[in-house]
Amino acid sequence: MPKVSVLIITYNQQNFIRQAIDSALAQQTTFPIEILVGDDFSKDGTREIIQEYERQHPGLVRGILHPRNMGKNGGINFLETLKQAKGEYYALMDGDDYFTDPLKIQKQADLLDAHPDYSMVFHNALITYEDGSPSHVLNGPDTKPFYTIEDLIGEDEIWFMATSSTMYRNSIKEYPAWFSESVSGDIPRLILKAKMGKIGYIPDLMSVYRKNSNGTSYSDKYDDAVFLQNRIDMYSNINRELDYRYDGLLKKNIARYYRMMLRSKQFRDSYFAKVRLAFRYYNLAKPNWVDLKSVIYDYLTPPVLQRAYGTVAIGLHRILNN
């Protein structure tokens, strides 16, 4: 029986999947592991590469090959692959990421063994970019040795754990229905795990988180009302999941997405729809006068009035300063 299941979640990543699987095969542990590669009906040759590794490493590498694309930005792929995991713990990465330390799995499992009150553990990671932007380390020297759910809740979206850096206790046997509706798997998964215990941290740099056009983070579209509504629904569900203990903070976070929706491609030219969105933003955020005035001017004031306002403002400025 494997102690750790390595879950690699992939879709159309033929240029990266070999490096991901090879980095899992390179792990050196004192216990057995299994490598499950969940493929979301790739059409670019990724599936054939997975099958090649299955033949080369029978019993160690197993493809979870879905008969159709499961949707939700890989979220259903993750859930279906996790159902097959036999390990006490599972390490997670996307098919375009990879491990860089052959002792990563051992170190993380040892930490979870030593801290039964930890629900998961993450480590430092290197972020690389397809567009040539400089690579950088994700976590700084001020990163704490462990985190609690309070560290994950704020008025803004909080993210400081690369998917490829995480290992979890395999303790959630049935995820809530709302989880599968979110196009972001990391945020709700971290919240659900943090409900169950602390999140440990290892400062060692042990994986790469790759930002590229085939990665899940590139599907985040902040000018798309459908994506923004999904974020609103996700944080509303998290608020309910946490029994509204952080209602004030989460309402301000949700309000941010209503404000973003004002400039979404679906609503930017629809005045009355923007009025409704502005009211939702106001009711949730309770903004100060400066922020509210900015929303009214930027999104609800017709361009002709904006020009008139500018002319009047310049005139008043000249009068007051003469």
Side-chain angles (χ1 to χ4, degrees):
M1 182 72 70
K3 183 180 180 70
V4 175
S5 302
V6 178
L7 274 56
I8 303 174
I9 306 302
T10 188
Y11 173 66
N12 282 352
Q13 293 171 325
Q14 66 166 346
N15 294 331
F16 307 114
I17 192 64
R18 289 185 185 277
Q19 190 170 22
I21 299 174
D22 285 341
S23 73
L25 288 168
Q27 291 298 299
Q28 301 170 14
T29 62
T30 59
F31 46 76
I33 69 170
E34 64 175 352
I35 301 169
L36 305 181
V37 190
D39 179 65
D40 215 356
F41 203 59
S42 295
K43 298 180 180 179
D44 67 342
T46 298
R47 178 166 293 212
E48 289 71 22
I49 293 171
I50 296 168
Q51 291 171 322
E52 175 189 326
Y53 275 90
E54 281 188 299
R55 293 190 296 270
Q56 293 173 352
H57 304 276
L60 177 57
V61 177
R62 183 153 59 101
I64 311 300
L65 310 177
H66 305 302
R68 65 184 185 283
N69 185 276
M70 308 299 281
K72 296 300 177 185
N73 201 25
I76 309 300
N77 183 8
F78 159 72
L79 289 173
E80 293 302 312
T81 303
L82 179 60
K83 287 178 182 178
Q84 303 298 317
K86 301 174 183 176
E88 178 184 358
Y89 309 138
Y90 69 91
L92 184 62
M93 69 168 151
D94 294 321
D96 55 346
D97 299 333
Y98 57 97
F99 302 150
T100 56
D101 186 335
L103 297 178
K104 167 200 155 70
I105 297 298
Q106 185 73 52
K107 291 176 184 178
Q108 291 191 290
D110 286 348
L111 189 71
L112 289 176
D113 285 345
H115 294 275
D117 57 328
Y118 286 10
S119 63
M120 61 170 288
V121 58
F122 72 107
H123 56 72
N124 212 342
L126 182 69
I127 312 296
T128 66
Y129 296 88
E130 180 186 53
D131 64 6
S133 299
S135 301
H136 62 90
V137 172
L138 177 58
N139 303 118
D142 58 342
T143 306
K144 300 190 298 185
F146 66 84
Y147 289 82
T148 66
I149 197 163
E150 283 76 16
D151 297 302
L152 305 183
I153 303 295
E155 294 182 13
D156 296 320
E157 193 156 286
I158 296 174
W159 182 84
F160 55 91
M161 302 180 213
T163 306
S164 61
S165 78
T166 56
M167 179 182 286
Y168 309 81
R169 293 188 189 278
N170 193 1
S171 53
I172 300 179
K173 299 308 176 185
E174 190 69 34
Y175 275 76
W178 64 264
F179 178 91
S180 61
E181 295 302 317
S182 171
V183 296
S184 169
D186 285 345
I187 295 170
R189 181 170 51 249
L190 294 173
I191 292 293
L192 291 170
K193 294 306 294 186
K195 279 183 64 179
M196 306 177 76
K198 298 174 184 176
I199 298 174
Y201 173 66
I202 299 173
D204 298 2
L205 192 67
M206 297 195 285
S207 71
V208 164
Y209 180 84
R210 204 182 328 232
K211 291 271 194 175
N212 68 89
S213 56
N214 284 332
T216 55
S217 63
Y218 269 71
S219 64
D220 293 354
K221 299 180 175 64
Y222 290 93
D223 65 343
D224 180 14
V226 175
F227 169 79
L228 296 170
Q229 184 63 54
N230 190 271
R231 275 293 201 270
I232 289 168
D233 293 341
M234 179 189 77
Y235 280 110
S236 298
N237 285 318
I238 287 173
N239 200 10
R240 185 170 60 252
E241 181 74 29
L242 299 178
D243 298 322
Y244 302 99
R245 294 196 304 274
Y246 310 96
D247 188 58
L249 287 173
L250 286 169
K251 279 183 176 177
K252 288 183 180 295
N253 195 346
I254 292 167
R256 291 172 54 247
Y257 293 99
Y258 279 116
R259 183 165 180 168
M260 292 180 205
M261 225 184 255
L262 289 166
R263 59 176 179 267
S264 67
K265 58 189 177 184
Q266 290 93 335
F267 296 121
R268 63 172 63 115
D269 297 322
S270 178
Y271 180 79
F272 290 106
K274 288 195 295 184
V275 170
R276 291 193 296 272
L277 292 171
F279 269 111
R280 291 177 185 172
Y281 164 75
Y282 174 78
N283 287 331
L284 290 168
K286 300 294 189 290
N288 59 41
W289 171 241
V290 173
D291 287 340
L292 180 59
K293 186 169 62 174
S294 174
V295 168
I296 293 171
Y297 179 80
D298 292 341
Y299 301 109
L300 302 181
T301 304
V304 63
L305 294 181
Q306 287 183 351
R307 290 192 292 270
Y309 173 85
T311 301
V312 171
I314 291 170
L316 286 173
H317 178 77
R318 289 173 176 170
I319 291 170
L320 292 172
N321 288 276
N322 284 337

PDB file of all heavy atoms in Angstrom, residues 177-208:
ATOM      1  N   ALA A 177     -20.583  19.738  -2.577  1.00  0.00           N
ATOM      2  CA  ALA A 177     -21.027  19.903  -3.963  1.00  0.00           C
ATOM      3  C   ALA A 177     -20.538  21.206  -4.567  1.00  0.00           C
ATOM      4  O   ALA A 177     -20.202  21.274  -5.753  1.00  0.00           O
ATOM      5  CB  ALA A 177     -22.550  19.813  -4.029  1.00  0.00           C
ATOM      6  N   TRP A 178     -20.469  22.279  -3.774  1.00  0.00           N
ATOM      7  CA  TRP A 178     -20.078  23.578  -4.315  1.00  0.00           C
ATOM      8  C   TRP A 178     -18.631  23.589  -4.805  1.00  0.00           C
ATOM      9  O   TRP A 178     -18.275  24.395  -5.662  1.00  0.00           O
ATOM     10  CB  TRP A 178     -20.316  24.691  -3.297  1.00  0.00           C
ATOM     11  CG  TRP A 178     -19.502  24.604  -2.037  1.00  0.00           C
ATOM     12  CD1 TRP A 178     -19.886  24.059  -0.842  1.00  0.00           C
ATOM     13  CD2 TRP A 178     -18.167  25.088  -1.833  1.00  0.00           C
ATOM     14  NE1 TRP A 178     -18.883  24.168   0.092  1.00  0.00           N
ATOM     15  CE2 TRP A 178     -17.814  24.807  -0.493  1.00  0.00           C
ATOM     16  CE3 TRP A 178     -17.243  25.742  -2.641  1.00  0.00           C
ATOM     17  CZ2 TRP A 178     -16.574  25.139   0.046  1.00  0.00           C
ATOM     18  CZ3 TRP A 178     -16.008  26.078  -2.108  1.00  0.00           C
ATOM     19  CH2 TRP A 178     -15.675  25.774  -0.787  1.00  0.00           C
ATOM     20  N   PHE A 179     -17.791  22.699  -4.248  1.00  0.00           N
ATOM     21  CA  PHE A 179     -16.379  22.665  -4.641  1.00  0.00           C
ATOM     22  C   PHE A 179     -16.230  22.414  -6.138  1.00  0.00           C
ATOM     23  O   PHE A 179     -15.421  23.040  -6.817  1.00  0.00           O
ATOM     24  CB  PHE A 179     -15.649  21.579  -3.841  1.00  0.00           C
ATOM     25  CG  PHE A 179     -14.196  21.432  -4.211  1.00  0.00           C
ATOM     26  CD1 PHE A 179     -13.224  22.158  -3.541  1.00  0.00           C
ATOM     27  CD2 PHE A 179     -13.791  20.571  -5.220  1.00  0.00           C
ATOM     28  CE1 PHE A 179     -11.881  22.024  -3.869  1.00  0.00           C
ATOM     29  CE2 PHE A 179     -12.463  20.434  -5.564  1.00  0.00           C
ATOM     30  CZ  PHE A 179     -11.498  21.174  -4.889  1.00  0.00           C
ATOM     31  N   SER A 180     -17.018  21.497  -6.663  1.00  0.00           N
ATOM     32  CA  SER A 180     -16.883  21.111  -8.067  1.00  0.00           C
ATOM     33  C   SER A 180     -17.399  22.182  -9.019  1.00  0.00           C
ATOM     34  O   SER A 180     -17.155  22.108 -10.229  1.00  0.00           O
ATOM     35  CB  SER A 180     -17.616  19.792  -8.333  1.00  0.00           C
ATOM     36  OG  SER A 180     -18.990  19.916  -8.063  1.00  0.00           O
ATOM     37  N   GLU A 181     -18.101  23.183  -8.503  1.00  0.00           N
ATOM     38  CA  GLU A 181     -18.596  24.264  -9.357  1.00  0.00           C
ATOM     39  C   GLU A 181     -17.580  25.386  -9.532  1.00  0.00           C
ATOM     40  O   GLU A 181     -17.739  26.238 -10.403  1.00  0.00           O
ATOM     41  CB  GLU A 181     -19.901  24.833  -8.774  1.00  0.00           C
ATOM     42  CG  GLU A 181     -21.053  23.848  -8.767  1.00  0.00           C
ATOM     43  CD  GLU A 181     -21.375  23.341 -10.168  1.00  0.00           C
ATOM     44  OE1 GLU A 181     -21.399  24.159 -11.103  1.00  0.00           O
ATOM     45  OE2 GLU A 181     -21.578  22.118 -10.318  1.00  0.00           O
ATOM     46  N   SER A 182     -16.551  25.399  -8.715  1.00  0.00           N
ATOM     47  CA  SER A 182     -15.555  26.467  -8.785  1.00  0.00           C
ATOM     48  C   SER A 182     -14.514  26.161  -9.844  1.00  0.00           C
ATOM     49  O   SER A 182     -14.024  25.032  -9.948  1.00  0.00           O
ATOM     50  CB  SER A 182     -14.875  26.633  -7.423  1.00  0.00           C
ATOM     51  OG  SER A 182     -13.774  27.527  -7.528  1.00  0.00           O
ATOM     52  N   VAL A 183     -14.143  27.176 -10.636  1.00  0.00           N
ATOM     53  CA  VAL A 183     -13.070  26.988 -11.617  1.00  0.00           C
ATOM     54  C   VAL A 183     -11.700  27.153 -10.968  1.00  0.00           C
ATOM     55  O   VAL A 183     -10.675  26.894 -11.601  1.00  0.00           O
ATOM     56  CB  VAL A 183     -13.203  27.958 -12.813  1.00  0.00           C
ATOM     57  CG1 VAL A 183     -14.465  27.678 -13.593  1.00  0.00           C
ATOM     58  CG2 VAL A 183     -13.143  29.415 -12.358  1.00  0.00           C
ATOM     59  N   SER A 184     -11.660  27.593  -9.718  1.00  0.00           N
ATOM     60  CA  SER A 184     -10.417  27.613  -8.949  1.00  0.00           C
ATOM     61  C   SER A 184     -10.446  26.452  -7.973  1.00  0.00           C
ATOM     62  O   SER A 184     -11.282  26.410  -7.072  1.00  0.00           O
ATOM     63  CB  SER A 184     -10.259  28.926  -8.173  1.00  0.00           C
ATOM     64  OG  SER A 184      -9.195  28.829  -7.250  1.00  0.00           O
ATOM     65  N   GLY A 185      -9.537  25.501  -8.163  1.00  0.00           N
ATOM     66  CA  GLY A 185      -9.495  24.373  -7.235  1.00  0.00           C
ATOM     67  C   GLY A 185      -8.672  24.663  -6.000  1.00  0.00           C
ATOM     68  O   GLY A 185      -8.998  24.219  -4.900  1.00  0.00           O
ATOM     69  N   ASP A 186      -7.586  25.432  -6.170  1.00  0.00           N
ATOM     70  CA  ASP A 186      -6.662  25.644  -5.061  1.00  0.00           C
ATOM     71  C   ASP A 186      -7.308  26.363  -3.892  1.00  0.00           C
ATOM     72  O   ASP A 186      -7.179  25.941  -2.735  1.00  0.00           O
ATOM     73  CB  ASP A 186      -5.446  26.453  -5.534  1.00  0.00           C
ATOM     74  CG  ASP A 186      -4.472  25.616  -6.358  1.00  0.00           C
ATOM     75  OD1 ASP A 186      -4.583  24.379  -6.314  1.00  0.00           O
ATOM     76  OD2 ASP A 186      -3.615  26.201  -7.039  1.00  0.00           O
ATOM     77  N   ILE A 187      -8.004  27.471  -4.156  1.00  0.00           N
ATOM     78  CA  ILE A 187      -8.521  28.297  -3.063  1.00  0.00           C
ATOM     79  C   ILE A 187      -9.512  27.520  -2.193  1.00  0.00           C
ATOM     80  O   ILE A 187      -9.332  27.447  -0.965  1.00  0.00           O
ATOM     81  CB  ILE A 187      -9.146  29.594  -3.604  1.00  0.00           C
ATOM     82  CG1 ILE A 187      -8.069  30.460  -4.268  1.00  0.00           C
ATOM     83  CG2 ILE A 187      -9.847  30.371  -2.493  1.00  0.00           C
ATOM     84  CD1 ILE A 187      -8.609  31.642  -5.048  1.00  0.00           C
ATOM     85  N   PRO A 188     -10.554  26.922  -2.749  1.00  0.00           N
ATOM     86  CA  PRO A 188     -11.485  26.194  -1.864  1.00  0.00           C
ATOM     87  C   PRO A 188     -10.855  24.962  -1.223  1.00  0.00           C
ATOM     88  O   PRO A 188     -11.190  24.627  -0.076  1.00  0.00           O
ATOM     89  CB  PRO A 188     -12.639  25.820  -2.799  1.00  0.00           C
ATOM     90  CG  PRO A 188     -12.101  25.907  -4.169  1.00  0.00           C
ATOM     91  CD  PRO A 188     -11.048  26.970  -4.146  1.00  0.00           C
ATOM     92  N   ARG A 189      -9.933  24.292  -1.933  1.00  0.00           N
ATOM     93  CA  ARG A 189      -9.278  23.121  -1.328  1.00  0.00           C
ATOM     94  C   ARG A 189      -8.459  23.533  -0.104  1.00  0.00           C
ATOM     95  O   ARG A 189      -8.488  22.864   0.935  1.00  0.00           O
ATOM     96  CB  ARG A 189      -8.387  22.427  -2.357  1.00  0.00           C
ATOM     97  CG  ARG A 189      -7.671  21.186  -1.823  1.00  0.00           C
ATOM     98  CD  ARG A 189      -6.995  20.375  -2.914  1.00  0.00           C
ATOM     99  NE  ARG A 189      -6.148  21.214  -3.741  1.00  0.00           N
ATOM    100  CZ  ARG A 189      -6.405  21.516  -5.029  1.00  0.00           C
ATOM    101  NH1 ARG A 189      -7.480  21.033  -5.613  1.00  0.00           N
ATOM    102  NH2 ARG A 189      -5.591  22.274  -5.718  1.00  0.00           N
ATOM    103  N   LEU A 190      -7.730  24.628  -0.207  1.00  0.00           N
ATOM    104  CA  LEU A 190      -6.937  25.099   0.929  1.00  0.00           C
ATOM    105  C   LEU A 190      -7.819  25.492   2.112  1.00  0.00           C
ATOM    106  O   LEU A 190      -7.493  25.218   3.268  1.00  0.00           O
ATOM    107  CB  LEU A 190      -6.068  26.285   0.495  1.00  0.00           C
ATOM    108  CG  LEU A 190      -4.969  25.975  -0.531  1.00  0.00           C
ATOM    109  CD1 LEU A 190      -4.304  27.253  -1.003  1.00  0.00           C
ATOM    110  CD2 LEU A 190      -3.951  25.005   0.028  1.00  0.00           C
ATOM    111  N   ILE A 191      -8.953  26.129   1.811  1.00  0.00           N
ATOM    112  CA  ILE A 191      -9.885  26.506   2.884  1.00  0.00           C
ATOM    113  C   ILE A 191     -10.411  25.253   3.592  1.00  0.00           C
ATOM    114  O   ILE A 191     -10.444  25.179   4.825  1.00  0.00           O
ATOM    115  CB  ILE A 191     -11.045  27.340   2.316  1.00  0.00           C
ATOM    116  CG1 ILE A 191     -10.564  28.708   1.827  1.00  0.00           C
ATOM    117  CG2 ILE A 191     -12.157  27.495   3.361  1.00  0.00           C
ATOM    118  CD1 ILE A 191     -10.076  29.627   2.911  1.00  0.00           C
ATOM    119  N   LEU A 192     -10.819  24.272   2.821  1.00  0.00           N
ATOM    120  CA  LEU A 192     -11.377  23.051   3.415  1.00  0.00           C
ATOM    121  C   LEU A 192     -10.332  22.321   4.249  1.00  0.00           C
ATOM    122  O   LEU A 192     -10.651  21.769   5.313  1.00  0.00           O
ATOM    123  CB  LEU A 192     -11.919  22.139   2.311  1.00  0.00           C
ATOM    124  CG  LEU A 192     -13.174  22.648   1.594  1.00  0.00           C
ATOM    125  CD1 LEU A 192     -13.479  21.800   0.367  1.00  0.00           C
ATOM    126  CD2 LEU A 192     -14.372  22.683   2.539  1.00  0.00           C
ATOM    127  N   LYS A 193      -9.086  22.300   3.782  1.00  0.00           N
ATOM    128  CA  LYS A 193      -8.040  21.644   4.560  1.00  0.00           C
ATOM    129  C   LYS A 193      -7.704  22.448   5.818  1.00  0.00           C
ATOM    130  O   LYS A 193      -7.446  21.874   6.878  1.00  0.00           O
ATOM    131  CB  LYS A 193      -6.787  21.450   3.707  1.00  0.00           C
ATOM    132  CG  LYS A 193      -6.959  20.489   2.548  1.00  0.00           C
ATOM    133  CD  LYS A 193      -7.481  19.126   2.967  1.00  0.00           C
ATOM    134  CE  LYS A 193      -6.499  18.360   3.827  1.00  0.00           C
ATOM    135  NZ  LYS A 193      -6.985  16.975   4.107  1.00  0.00           N
ATOM    136  N   ALA A 194      -7.689  23.783   5.701  1.00  0.00           N
ATOM    137  CA  ALA A 194      -7.368  24.608   6.858  1.00  0.00           C
ATOM    138  C   ALA A 194      -8.427  24.482   7.952  1.00  0.00           C
ATOM    139  O   ALA A 194      -8.126  24.718   9.135  1.00  0.00           O
ATOM    140  CB  ALA A 194      -7.220  26.068   6.435  1.00  0.00           C
ATOM    141  N   LYS A 195      -9.656  24.133   7.586  1.00  0.00           N
ATOM    142  CA  LYS A 195     -10.690  23.863   8.594  1.00  0.00           C
ATOM    143  C   LYS A 195     -10.303  22.676   9.475  1.00  0.00           C
ATOM    144  O   LYS A 195     -10.744  22.578  10.624  1.00  0.00           O
ATOM    145  CB  LYS A 195     -12.035  23.543   7.914  1.00  0.00           C
ATOM    146  CG  LYS A 195     -12.838  24.725   7.465  1.00  0.00           C
ATOM    147  CD  LYS A 195     -14.174  24.272   6.887  1.00  0.00           C
ATOM    148  CE  LYS A 195     -15.052  23.604   7.931  1.00  0.00           C
ATOM    149  NZ  LYS A 195     -16.362  23.184   7.381  1.00  0.00           N
ATOM    150  N   MET A 196      -9.466  21.793   8.929  1.00  0.00           N
ATOM    151  CA  MET A 196      -9.159  20.538   9.608  1.00  0.00           C
ATOM    152  C   MET A 196      -7.857  20.584  10.402  1.00  0.00           C
ATOM    153  O   MET A 196      -7.543  19.632  11.124  1.00  0.00           O
ATOM    154  CB  MET A 196      -9.103  19.411   8.576  1.00  0.00           C
ATOM    155  CG  MET A 196     -10.355  19.304   7.721  1.00  0.00           C
ATOM    156  SD  MET A 196     -10.252  18.038   6.440  1.00  0.00           S
ATOM    157  CE  MET A 196     -10.468  16.562   7.430  1.00  0.00           C
ATOM    158  N   GLY A 197      -7.065  21.640  10.227  1.00  0.00           N
ATOM    159  CA  GLY A 197      -5.805  21.714  10.958  1.00  0.00           C
ATOM    160  C   GLY A 197      -4.868  22.743  10.376  1.00  0.00           C
ATOM    161  O   GLY A 197      -5.160  23.392   9.360  1.00  0.00           O
ATOM    162  N   LYS A 198      -3.717  22.887  11.002  1.00  0.00           N
ATOM    163  CA  LYS A 198      -2.713  23.852  10.556  1.00  0.00           C
ATOM    164  C   LYS A 198      -2.101  23.431   9.214  1.00  0.00           C
ATOM    165  O   LYS A 198      -2.160  22.272   8.825  1.00  0.00           O
ATOM    166  CB  LYS A 198      -1.611  23.980  11.612  1.00  0.00           C
ATOM    167  CG  LYS A 198      -2.078  24.490  12.961  1.00  0.00           C
ATOM    168  CD  LYS A 198      -0.946  24.431  13.980  1.00  0.00           C
ATOM    169  CE  LYS A 198      -1.425  24.850  15.367  1.00  0.00           C
ATOM    170  NZ  LYS A 198      -0.346  24.691  16.382  1.00  0.00           N
ATOM    171  N   ILE A 199      -1.495  24.417   8.561  1.00  0.00           N
ATOM    172  CA  ILE A 199      -0.791  24.184   7.298  1.00  0.00           C
ATOM    173  C   ILE A 199       0.689  24.442   7.545  1.00  0.00           C
ATOM    174  O   ILE A 199       1.097  25.574   7.836  1.00  0.00           O
ATOM    175  CB  ILE A 199      -1.316  25.115   6.194  1.00  0.00           C
ATOM    176  CG1 ILE A 199      -2.799  24.843   5.925  1.00  0.00           C
ATOM    177  CG2 ILE A 199      -0.496  24.955   4.917  1.00  0.00           C
ATOM    178  CD1 ILE A 199      -3.439  25.806   4.946  1.00  0.00           C
ATOM    179  N   GLY A 200       1.497  23.396   7.481  1.00  0.00           N
ATOM    180  CA  GLY A 200       2.920  23.524   7.743  1.00  0.00           C
ATOM    181  C   GLY A 200       3.690  24.056   6.544  1.00  0.00           C
ATOM    182  O   GLY A 200       3.220  23.961   5.399  1.00  0.00           O
ATOM    183  N   TYR A 201       4.870  24.600   6.805  1.00  0.00           N
ATOM    184  CA  TYR A 201       5.704  25.163   5.732  1.00  0.00           C
ATOM    185  C   TYR A 201       7.143  24.678   5.867  1.00  0.00           C
ATOM    186  O   TYR A 201       7.710  24.674   6.955  1.00  0.00           O
ATOM    187  CB  TYR A 201       5.677  26.689   5.778  1.00  0.00           C
ATOM    188  CG  TYR A 201       6.639  27.343   4.811  1.00  0.00           C
ATOM    189  CD1 TYR A 201       6.459  27.224   3.436  1.00  0.00           C
ATOM    190  CD2 TYR A 201       7.734  28.086   5.269  1.00  0.00           C
ATOM    191  CE1 TYR A 201       7.345  27.821   2.546  1.00  0.00           C
ATOM    192  CE2 TYR A 201       8.618  28.689   4.382  1.00  0.00           C
ATOM    193  CZ  TYR A 201       8.413  28.554   3.023  1.00  0.00           C
ATOM    194  OH  TYR A 201       9.286  29.144   2.139  1.00  0.00           O
ATOM    195  N   ILE A 202       7.735  24.282   4.727  1.00  0.00           N
ATOM    196  CA  ILE A 202       9.149  23.935   4.627  1.00  0.00           C
ATOM    197  C   ILE A 202       9.793  24.959   3.701  1.00  0.00           C
ATOM    198  O   ILE A 202       9.357  25.113   2.554  1.00  0.00           O
ATOM    199  CB  ILE A 202       9.331  22.509   4.056  1.00  0.00           C
ATOM    200  CG1 ILE A 202       8.671  21.474   4.977  1.00  0.00           C
ATOM    201  CG2 ILE A 202      10.809  22.192   3.861  1.00  0.00           C
ATOM    202  CD1 ILE A 202       8.664  20.061   4.412  1.00  0.00           C
ATOM    203  N   PRO A 203      10.822  25.668   4.142  1.00  0.00           N
ATOM    204  CA  PRO A 203      11.390  26.734   3.317  1.00  0.00           C
ATOM    205  C   PRO A 203      12.207  26.257   2.120  1.00  0.00           C
ATOM    206  O   PRO A 203      12.560  27.063   1.253  1.00  0.00           O
ATOM    207  CB  PRO A 203      12.263  27.524   4.301  1.00  0.00           C
ATOM    208  CG  PRO A 203      12.597  26.548   5.384  1.00  0.00           C
ATOM    209  CD  PRO A 203      11.414  25.637   5.501  1.00  0.00           C
ATOM    210  N   ASP A 204      12.494  24.964   2.031  1.00  0.00           N
ATOM    211  CA  ASP A 204      13.310  24.448   0.926  1.00  0.00           C
ATOM    212  C   ASP A 204      12.619  24.701  -0.417  1.00  0.00           C
ATOM    213  O   ASP A 204      11.390  24.544  -0.549  1.00  0.00           O
ATOM    214  CB  ASP A 204      13.550  22.950   1.090  1.00  0.00           C
ATOM    215  CG  ASP A 204      14.311  22.623   2.367  1.00  0.00           C
ATOM    216  OD1 ASP A 204      14.608  23.550   3.140  1.00  0.00           O
ATOM    217  OD2 ASP A 204      14.589  21.432   2.604  1.00  0.00           O
ATOM    218  N   LEU A 205      13.423  25.052  -1.413  1.00  0.00           N
ATOM    219  CA  LEU A 205      12.917  25.259  -2.783  1.00  0.00           C
ATOM    220  C   LEU A 205      12.889  23.897  -3.477  1.00  0.00           C
ATOM    221  O   LEU A 205      13.941  23.338  -3.799  1.00  0.00           O
ATOM    222  CB  LEU A 205      13.845  26.231  -3.519  1.00  0.00           C
ATOM    223  CG  LEU A 205      13.369  26.808  -4.844  1.00  0.00           C
ATOM    224  CD1 LEU A 205      12.178  27.726  -4.637  1.00  0.00           C
ATOM    225  CD2 LEU A 205      14.506  27.565  -5.521  1.00  0.00           C
ATOM    226  N   MET A 206      11.668  23.356  -3.726  1.00  0.00           N
ATOM    227  CA  MET A 206      11.596  21.958  -4.157  1.00  0.00           C
ATOM    228  C   MET A 206      10.727  21.708  -5.383  1.00  0.00           C
ATOM    229  O   MET A 206      10.509  20.563  -5.761  1.00  0.00           O
ATOM    230  CB  MET A 206      11.123  21.086  -2.991  1.00  0.00           C
ATOM    231  CG  MET A 206      12.095  21.082  -1.814  1.00  0.00           C
ATOM    232  SD  MET A 206      11.803  19.777  -0.611  1.00  0.00           S
ATOM    233  CE  MET A 206      10.344  20.381   0.244  1.00  0.00           C
ATOM    234  N   SER A 207      10.201  22.763  -6.017  1.00  0.00           N
ATOM    235  CA  SER A 207       9.413  22.548  -7.225  1.00  0.00           C
ATOM    236  C   SER A 207       9.365  23.821  -8.052  1.00  0.00           C
ATOM    237  O   SER A 207       9.712  24.899  -7.581  1.00  0.00           O
ATOM    238  CB  SER A 207       7.983  22.089  -6.888  1.00  0.00           C
ATOM    239  OG  SER A 207       7.223  23.148  -6.335  1.00  0.00           O
ATOM    240  N   VAL A 208       8.912  23.658  -9.292  1.00  0.00           N
ATOM    241  CA  VAL A 208       8.699  24.782 -10.200  1.00  0.00           C
ATOM    242  C   VAL A 208       7.215  24.889 -10.500  1.00  0.00           C
ATOM    243  O   VAL A 208       6.538  23.886 -10.758  1.00  0.00           O
ATOM    244  CB  VAL A 208       9.499  24.600 -11.510  1.00  0.00           C
ATOM    245  CG1 VAL A 208       8.992  25.541 -12.603  1.00  0.00           C
ATOM    246  CG2 VAL A 208      10.977  24.834 -11.258  1.00  0.00           C
TER     247      VAL A 208
END
